[in-house]
Amino acid sequence: MIGNLKPLEIVLIIAVILLLFGAKKLPDMARSLGKSARILKSEAKAMKKDDAATAAPTTETVADPAPPQSTTARTIQAAPGDVTSARPVSDPKPTTQS
């Protein structure tokens, strides 16, 4: 049914949409529709990725993926060879609030 539309009918539909919503609101509506489509697409990809991640480790002989903790302090450097901006990284300590 939609494939049988003639050019005059398409122009008439566009004119009715312009009359109903106005020329100022149409760009905003198109922008929000595009944002919604992008959000929907990214969420669908995230759901597929989550499903694949939960379905993959089904064997019982999987080794422990966590590497052993070392006692040496880790450092973060801004650039390779830049020792002036290197700083130690410490694990956050729990704070007690009274």
Side-chain angles (χ1 to χ4, degrees):
M1 182 169 172
I2 293 178
N4 297 335
L5 290 178
K6 297 176 184 164
L8 183 61
E9 293 170 343
I10 293 173
V11 170
L12 182 65
I13 291 171
I14 292 173
V16 169
I17 290 172
L18 278 172
L19 287 174
L20 288 176
F21 297 109
K24 291 183 179 180
K25 287 188 179 182
L26 284 179
D28 293 334
M29 290 172 57
R31 219 174 280 120
S32 65
L33 182 64
K35 284 181 183 179
S36 300
R38 279 189 298 261
I39 291 171
L40 179 65
K41 185 177 178 181
S42 67
E43 290 296 324
K45 282 184 180 180
M47 287 176 63
K48 285 181 182 178
K49 185 179 177 183
D50 288 345
D51 288 344
T54 57
T58 57
T59 61
E60 295 296 326
T61 60
V62 175
D64 186 19
Q69 295 288 335
S70 63
T71 57
T72 60
R74 298 177 295 160
T75 59
I76 297 176
Q77 293 183 345
D82 184 14
V83 295
T84 58
S85 64
R87 57 185 171 89
V89 178
S90 62
D91 293 326
K93 295 178 181 156
T95 59
T96 57
Q97 295 178 354
S98 22

